[in-house]
Amino acid sequence: MSKTIYILNGPNLNLLGKRQPEIYGHDTLADVEANCAKVGQENGLSVTLMQSNHEGEIVEMIHAARDNAAGIIINPAAYSHTSVAILDALNTFEGPVLEVHISNIHKREEFRHHSFVSARAEGVIAGCGVNGYALAMRHMGTLLS
Ligand code: DHK
């Protein structure tokens, strides 16, 4: 049976493909899901992708992952830089956590340089565009094999 990976996305990522394409590109979250599902198939992993604009909902998705997912790939978006609640929730999860940022947060405004989530993540991918999700899926395959 394939292991499930939760791919969790924070605020404004529902607009991926339409929102500031010069920074975040033209692919949508549906494109990300399809691409990650393909990579997952090659690695015996299935994918559940979710997005929320609300911090508490993301905390609840992480709680659900405790019973339903072998690993979490998370792009907390703006909550990366503010949310101790998401960090605390991730600390209740026992499997691997990989953090993805579509843009290179270190090349952008200073307030984006720090991520609370990085203190929990096994790995961080930033600046590879939406391909970062597929790279994280591949690495998840390695971590869980
Ligand atoms: C996405 C966002 O929405 C920003 O708030 C982060 C992140 C960067 C990204 O690159 O995926 O600062």
Side-chain angles (χ1 to χ4, degrees), residues 11 17 33 35 49-50 54 60 62 69 80 89 115 121 136:
E33 185 171 26
N35 199 23
L49 184 144
M50 291 179 264
H54 304 279
E60 281 167 13
I62 295 166
S80 315
S115 167

Side-chain angles (χ1 to χ4, degrees), residues 20-104:
Q20 295 180 279
E22 68 285 3
I23 297 177
Y24 299 106
H26 292 278
D27 285 358
T28 65
L29 222 42
D31 296 327
V32 169
E33 185 171 26
N35 199 23
C36 286
K38 210 167 84 187
V39 176
Q41 260 179 5
E42 295 159 11
N43 292 276
L45 304 174
S46 65
V47 159
T48 300
L49 184 144
M50 291 179 264
Q51 187 276 334
S52 176
N53 295 320
H54 304 279
E55 186 176 20
E57 280 183 8
I58 297 167
V59 167
E60 281 167 13
M61 289 168 185
I62 295 166
H63 293 174
R66 285 161 49 82
D67 293 325
N68 300 305
I72 294 176
I73 294 170
I74 185 165
N75 182 350
Y79 288 140
S80 315
H81 319 302
T82 62
S83 182
V84 176
I86 290 175
L87 170 63
D88 284 353
L90 288 169
N91 279 330
T92 75
F93 181 75
E94 286 179 5
V97 174
L98 297 174
E99 179 182 359
V100 171
H101 303 284
I102 297 164
S103 63
N104 182 354

